[in-house]
């Protein structure tokens, strides 16, 4: 991690602490501590177990995509690589967008493959993970629309989901249709920039335009292989959906842990909405995701819990889905880095 990345990460964590501080101020630290102290440790342990189930399911999606790209990775290795990917996402600003380059490098080292193929694999997995989350959120919104009248916050949240369901697939489609023009623009912008950096810091040689074009071509070729493999897409989507289901079960169990059960149907809408907040410039969405989860939970008419109880359950849930992959993935990244140095 260079100085700029370190500075961005530190600023991101400071922002996350600020958002969490505001939440604690609004809810009350003592009240939150009381809720957490009353939590059932057995059920909290189940939340952690379900979190491992989520990571295992998404590792199957990653392993499937890599298999389509001709990269063979064992089940345990795919699990550890996925955790390494989650670690990168959780400690870099802008979540997946910030962590993908690091994740691609990790995949290339562990699987002994090209960086472009690793980047195509994790980009494909992230894209496939988006589909079930938005679908489940729309199903949840449709369900609640038949049960009650939406307030302002819920109408706004539903509008965000609907917009993302249209904008992101549209952007991906347009980007793919114009991939060759995009390749020319990337080469035209980045090659001169890299050459200027290489001139100022003559510790590495700048790549040629042909080399950059070849790498980008390999990346798009890998994406095309994934996009045209129907079996791989079906398996990956099923594994991704299972992972999202595990996450929903985790938040549902977190409410049970503090003896404040809520309808499971609420999780269909709440969990994907929290994931959308992961695009904020905060490491792993920390702070932003918690704030969105509490706000949406408080807005749902079918969830009659206090803000303190909502934050208590969210803290338990996020404590698992954030820190479990950070701990496992941190070890993985450290070991891979040590092996590279050695």
């Amino acid at each position: 991690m260079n100085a700029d990345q370190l500075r961005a990460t530190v600023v991101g964590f400071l922002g996350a602490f600020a958002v969490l501080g505001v939440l604690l101020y609004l809810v009350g630290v003592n009240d939150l501590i009381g809720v957490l102290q009353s939590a059932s440790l057995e059920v909290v342990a189940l939340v952690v177990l379900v979190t491992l189930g989520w990571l295992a399911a998404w590792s199957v999606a990653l392993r499937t995509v890599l298999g389509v790209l001709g990269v063979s990775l064992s089940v345990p290795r795919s699990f550890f690589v996925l955790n390494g990917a989650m670690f990168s996402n959780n400690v870099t600003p802008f979540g997946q967008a910030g962590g993908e380059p690091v994740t691609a490098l990790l995949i290339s080292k562990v699987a002994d493959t090209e960086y472009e193929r690793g980047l195509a694999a994790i980009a494909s997995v992230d894209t496939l993970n988006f589909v079930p989350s938005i679908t489940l959120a729309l199903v949840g919104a449709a369900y609640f629309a038949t049960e009650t009248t939406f307030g302002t916050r819920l109408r706004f949240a539903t509008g965000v989901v609907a917009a993302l369901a249209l904008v992101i697939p549209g952007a991906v489609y347009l980007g793919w249709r114009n991939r060759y023009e995009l390749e020319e623009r990337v080469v035209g912008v980045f090659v001169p920039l890299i050459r200027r950096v290489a001139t100022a810091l003559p510790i590495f040689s700048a790549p040629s335009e042909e080399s950059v074009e070849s790498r980008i071509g390999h990346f798009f070729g890998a994406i095309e292989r994934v996009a045209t493999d129907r079996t791989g897409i079906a398996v990956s989507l099923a594994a991704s959906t299972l992972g999202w289901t595990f996450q929903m079960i985790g938040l549902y169990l977190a409410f049970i842990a503090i003896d404040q059960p809520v309808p499971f149907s609420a999780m269909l809408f709440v969990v994907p909405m929290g994931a959308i907040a992961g695009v904020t410039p905060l490491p792993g969405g920390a702070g932003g995701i918690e704030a969105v989860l509490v706000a949406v939970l408080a807005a749902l008419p079918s969830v009659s819990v206090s803000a303190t109880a909502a934050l208590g359950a969210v803290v338990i849930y996020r404590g698992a889905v954030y820190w479990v992959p950070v701990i496992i993935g941190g070890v993985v990244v450290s070991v891979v880095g040590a092996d590279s140095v050695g």
Side-chain angles (χ1 to χ4, degrees):
M1 181 179 292
N2 59 37
D4 290 337
Q5 292 174 321
L6 180 60
R7 189 180 303 110
T9 298
V10 170
V11 171
F13 273 112
L14 290 176
F17 292 146
V19 174
L20 292 173
V22 172
L23 273 177
L24 291 174
Y25 173 77
L26 295 175
V27 171
V29 177
N30 292 333
D31 292 338
L32 177 62
I33 291 175
V35 169
L36 294 177
Q37 287 178 337
S38 67
S40 167
L41 295 180
E42 291 81 5
V43 181
V44 171
L46 285 178
V47 175
V48 175
L49 184 62
V50 167
T51 298
L52 292 173
W54 154 55
L55 294 168
W58 279 16
S59 71
V60 170
L62 176 61
R63 184 171 184 264
T64 301
V65 169
L66 286 171
V68 172
L69 296 177
V71 179
S72 178
L73 209 62
S74 66
V75 173
R77 282 200 167 199
S78 62
F79 176 79
F80 288 126
V81 169
L82 189 278
N83 277 271
M86 297 305 299
F87 168 81
S88 300
N89 294 340
N90 285 347
V91 300
T92 54
F94 294 101
Q96 293 172 339
E100 280 189 347
V102 179
T103 301
L105 182 61
L106 176 65
I107 293 174
S108 67
K109 289 183 177 180
V110 174
D112 192 23
T113 187
E114 302 90 350
Y115 177 85
E116 296 78 21
R117 193 174 298 187
L119 184 60
I122 194 60
S124 299
V125 170
D126 286 343
T127 303
L128 291 170
N129 284 340
F130 169 81
V131 176
S133 68
I134 292 297
T135 302
L136 292 170
L138 290 174
V139 169
Y143 171 79
F144 284 114
T146 64
E147 296 292 318
T148 185
T149 302
F150 279 11
T152 302
R153 278 188 290 180
L154 283 183
R155 286 199 299 269
F156 174 76
T158 304
V160 170
V161 173
L164 288 174
L166 295 173
V167 172
I168 293 183
V172 171
Y173 174 76
L174 289 176
W176 181 251
R177 285 291 302 270
N178 299 283
R179 59 189 182 276
Y180 299 115
E181 293 84 351
L182 182 62
E183 176 181 340
E184 291 180 2
R185 292 185 180 182
V186 170
V187 172
V189 171
F190 282 98
V191 170
L193 178 62
I194 295 173
R195 284 176 177 170
R196 285 197 293 270
V197 173
T199 302
L201 300 172
I203 57 176
F204 66 93
S205 57
S208 63
E209 289 190 8
E210 293 76 13
S211 174
V212 175
E213 289 177 354
S214 176
R215 287 176 176 270
I216 296 176
H218 289 159
F219 170 77
F220 282 132
I223 292 290
E224 186 171 6
R225 287 179 63 181
V226 175
T228 55
D229 192 300
R230 295 183 179 180
T231 301
I233 289 178
V235 172
S236 298
L237 285 175
S240 176
T241 303
L242 179 60
W244 283 112
T245 303
F246 275 127
Q247 286 198 51
M248 294 172 188
I249 294 173
L251 183 55
Y252 177 76
L253 289 174
F255 277 102
I256 293 179
I258 61 173
D259 198 24
Q260 294 282 341
V262 299
F264 184 78
S265 57
M267 303 301 102
L268 289 172
F269 187 69
V270 172
V271 171
M273 282 304 305
I276 291 172
V279 301
T280 57
L282 302 171
I289 292 178
E290 287 79 2
V292 169
L293 287 174
V294 172
V296 175
L297 284 165
L300 287 175
S302 61
V303 180
S304 55
V305 295
S306 65
T308 304
L311 182 56
V314 167
V315 167
I316 293 172
Y317 162 73
R318 284 285 293 163
V321 299
Y322 183 90
W323 286 107
V324 169
V326 163
I327 293 171
I328 299 175
V331 173
V332 171
V333 171
S334 299
V335 170
V336 172
D339 288 345
S340 299
V341 173

